[in-house]
Amino acid sequence: MATVEPQVPRANGKTRIQARNEARIMAAAETVFADHGFRGATVDEIAQAADMSKPNLLYYFKSKAALYRAVLEHTLRIWLEPLKEIDADKDPETEIRNYIARKIEASAGHPNASRIFASEMLRGAPVLADHLRGDLKSLVARKSAVIEQWIAEGRLAPIDPIHLIFMIWATTQHYADFAVQVKAVWGKGDLGPKDFAQIEAAVSEIVLRGILPRKG
Amino acid sequence: MATVEPQVPRANGKTRIQARNEARIMAAAETVFADHGFRGATVDEIAQAADMSKPNLLYYFKSKAALYRAVLEHTLRIWLEPLKEIDADKDPETEIRNYIARKIEASAGHPNASRIFASEMLRGAPVLADHLRGDLKSLVARKSAVIEQWIAEGRLAPIDPIHLIFMIWATTQHYADFAVQVKAVWGKGDLGPKDFAQIEAAVSEIVLRGILPRKG
DNA sequence: GTCTATAAGCGGATAGAC
DNA sequence: GTCTATCCGCTTATAGAC
C-alpha cells in the first residue's frame, strides 16, 4: 500500500499517518477521559487503548493537557450543535420536539462526548469556564428570546425558557452520563435504537404537555 | 475542655477525637472526590483540606478506597431518602411536588454528595453496581407501581413512570452537578435560597403540567 | 494519636538510537 | 515516526520515634 509519497503533506497540512494516528489517539482518549476525568486518566492507558507507545502518543500531542483540550473541543461541537438549529420561524412544538430528538441522538451516538463534558463540569470547568460565560451564554440568550417570543404569541405556556432548556439538557444527558444506572434500574442491557426511541417518546411527551398551552 | 476521659469509648464505640477527626476527614474527602473523582483525588489533598497529615488520615481510614466507600455510603443515604417518602395513600400532585422539592433541597444542601454520585456513575459505578441492581432497582419498582396505580385511577396522565423518575432525578441533580454551567449561563453568582426556590417552581410547573390529567 | 522518614511504584515527559 | 531507556516528581501506604 505505502508506495510513493507516504509523508507528503496533504490539503489540511497532515500526512496520512498523522491523520490516522491522531484520530486513533482522540478516540482512545475520549473513552479514558470519559471514564476517569482529566486527572484520573493516564497517558499510558490512553496510549494502550490506541495501541501505541506512550512516547509515540506524546509525539502527536505534546502533553496530556493538550490532548484533553483537543478532545474537549471536539466534544463541544457535538454538544452545541443541536441547540443552534432551533428556528424561530417554525412551529414551536416541532422545534422543541426535534431539539429533544437531536439531543437524545447525540447522547446515544456520542455517549463519551456527553460524559467528558459532564466530567469537566463536575470539576468546575477550569478549561471551559470562559466558553460557558461567552459563547454558550449568548447562544442560550438568543434561543431563550425565541422561546419568549413564542410565549408572547400564546404558542407556548408561560414557562421560564432557561429552566426549560436546563431541563432538556439534564434529561437527555442523563441517559448517556448515568447509563449504568439507567440500565440497572430499567433492567436493560446496553441501550439500543428501540430503547432510545422509547426514551425520546416519553421525554417529549412529558415536556411538551408541560409547555404547550391548554386547548380547553 | 479536655478533662477526665478523652479516649473513653462512647456509645457508638468511638472516642471524641475519633468521631471529630473522622467527621473532618469525611467532609474534606467529599469536596475532593466531588471535584476529581476517585482516581483523580489524592490522599494528600484530602489530608490538607482536613488540616491533617497524610499518615494521620490513614490512621483513621486504612486506604483511599476505604475512605471513598465510606463517603459514598453517606452520599447514598442523602440521595435515596427523598424517593422513599413518596406515599401511595396521599395526593399525587402533592407527593410529586414534594418529591421535587426534597430533591432540589438535597442538591442545594449537599452539592458534593450529588457530584460524588455523578462521578461514580460516570466511571461505570464499579463500587455501586450491586446496589443499583439490588436496592435501588427494587425501590424504583415499588414507587413506579405507586405511580402506575395513580394513572389507573385517572389521577395522572398515562406517562411511563420510570422516565418520569429519571427526568426528576436528571433535572434536580443538574443544578448541583452542572452548577458552574448553570451559574455561567444564567448569569448568577453562587445560587442562594431564592434561586433554588425559583428553580423548584419552574421545574415543578413544567413536570406537573406534563403529567397531570387534563381537566377540560 | 500524631509525627518524620521512607519504601515501592506510578505518573508525565524527554533523550537519543534506529 | 517509532522505539527503549530513563529522569524525576508525585502517590499510596507503612515503619517507627515520640
Side-chain angles (χ1 to χ4, degrees):
Chain A
M1 283 198 69
T3 52
V4 231
E5 37 184 6
Q7 59 248 62
V8 167
R10 323 197 75 202
N12 53 8
K14 301 191 179 190
T15 66
R16 286 180 190 81
I17 291 178
Q18 271 171 352
R20 202 205 57 187
N21 281 350
E22 284 179 12
R24 259 171 50 198
I25 293 168
M26 292 277 285
E30 278 180 16
T31 78
V32 177
F33 282 133
D35 279 345
H36 301 294
F38 174 69
R39 272 176 44 166
T42 71
V43 174
D44 202 32
E45 199 175 355
I46 297 170
Q48 281 178 31
D51 205 25
M52 193 177 290
S53 71
K54 189 163 54 167
N56 199 18
L57 185 156
L58 289 167
Y59 169 79
Y60 289 100
F61 293 88
K62 71 176 182 306
S63 72
K64 178 183 172 181
L67 174 56
Y68 181 71
R69 277 192 301 273
V71 167
L72 208 50
E73 230 165 85
H74 179 230
T75 284
L76 207 55
R77 277 200 297 277
I78 294 167
W79 205 88
L80 285 181
E81 204 46 42
L83 184 57
K84 290 185 182 161
E85 294 177 26
I86 289 184
D87 185 346
D89 297 333
K90 295 192 179 153
D91 174 51
E93 177 171 352
T94 314
E95 289 302 288
I96 302 282
R97 191 184 292 280
N98 285 345
Y99 178 50
I100 291 170
R102 284 194 301 270
K103 268 300 220 182
I104 284 178
E105 218 172 289
S107 287
H110 306 275
N112 287 337
S114 180
R115 287 156 69 218
I116 290 165
F117 190 85
S119 165
E120 171 71 6
M121 291 304 113
L122 282 181
R123 67 184 192 132
V127 175
L128 287 188
D130 286 348
H131 187 277
L132 297 181
R133 281 190 284 267
D135 293 359
L136 182 61
K137 186 180 176 183
S138 66
L139 174 60
V140 170
R142 282 199 304 280
K143 298 306 180 181
S144 288
V146 170
I147 294 171
E148 295 276 21
Q149 186 193 320
W150 283 334
I151 293 170
E153 294 166 358
R155 301 161 80 192
L156 283 185
I159 40 83
D160 189 330
I162 201 145
H163 295 296
L164 170 62
I165 291 172
F166 286 158
M167 178 175 283
I168 294 173
W169 285 355
T171 305
T172 54
Q173 197 145 5
H174 186 80
Y175 291 95
D177 300 347
F178 284 53
V180 228
Q181 178 180 259
V182 168
K183 287 188 274 187
V185 170
W186 202 8
K188 300 262 177 179
D190 283 345
L191 302 179
K194 276 191 180 174
D195 299 314
F196 278 102
Q198 193 181 332
I199 291 166
E200 190 192 313
V203 172
S204 295
E205 194 186 343
I206 297 177
V207 171
L208 286 171
R209 279 180 51 106
I211 64 174
L212 289 177
R214 296 287 161 105
K215 299 292 161 56
Chain B
M1 283 191 71
T3 52
V4 230
E5 36 184 8
Q7 59 248 65
V8 167
R10 323 198 75 201
N12 54 7
K14 301 189 178 189
T15 66
R16 288 179 188 81
I17 290 179
Q18 273 172 351
R20 203 204 58 189
N21 281 349
E22 284 178 13
R24 259 170 52 197
I25 293 168
M26 293 276 286
E30 278 180 17
T31 78
V32 177
F33 282 133
D35 280 343
H36 300 293
F38 175 69
R39 274 177 41 166
T42 71
V43 174
D44 201 32
E45 201 175 353
I46 297 170
Q48 279 178 32
D51 204 26
M52 192 176 291
S53 71
K54 192 162 52 166
N56 199 17
L57 185 156
L58 288 166
Y59 169 78
Y60 289 100
F61 294 88
K62 71 175 182 306
S63 70
K64 177 182 171 181
L67 174 55
Y68 181 71
R69 277 193 300 275
V71 167
L72 208 50
E73 229 164 87
H74 178 230
T75 285
L76 206 56
R77 276 199 296 279
I78 293 167
W79 204 88
L80 285 180
E81 204 46 42
L83 183 57
K84 290 185 182 162
E85 295 177 24
I86 289 184
D87 184 346
D89 297 332
K90 295 192 178 152
D91 175 50
E93 177 170 351
T94 314
E95 289 302 289
I96 303 283
R97 190 182 293 280
N98 286 345
Y99 178 49
I100 292 171
R102 282 194 302 271
K103 269 298 220 184
I104 285 179
E105 216 172 291
S107 287
H110 306 275
N112 287 336
S114 182
R115 287 156 69 216
I116 290 166
F117 190 84
S119 166
E120 171 71 6
M121 293 301 115
L122 282 180
R123 67 184 191 133
V127 175
L128 287 186
D130 287 347
H131 187 275
L132 298 181
R133 281 189 285 266
D135 292 359
L136 182 62
K137 186 179 177 184
S138 67
L139 175 60
V140 170
R142 282 199 302 281
K143 298 306 179 181
S144 290
V146 170
I147 295 170
E148 295 278 20
Q149 186 194 320
W150 283 334
I151 293 170
E153 294 167 358
R155 302 162 79 191
L156 283 186
I159 39 81
D160 190 330
I162 201 145
H163 295 296
L164 170 62
I165 292 172
F166 285 158
M167 176 174 285
I168 294 173
W169 285 355
T171 304
T172 54
Q173 198 145 4
H174 186 79
Y175 291 94
D177 300 348
F178 285 52
V180 227
Q181 178 180 257
V182 168
K183 287 186 274 185
V185 169
W186 201 9
K188 300 262 177 179
D190 283 345
L191 302 179
K194 275 191 181 173
D195 299 314
F196 278 104
Q198 192 181 332
I199 291 166
E200 190 192 313
V203 172
S204 294
E205 193 186 345
I206 298 177
V207 170
L208 286 171
R209 278 179 52 106
I211 63 174
L212 289 177
R214 296 286 159 106
K215 300 288 163 59

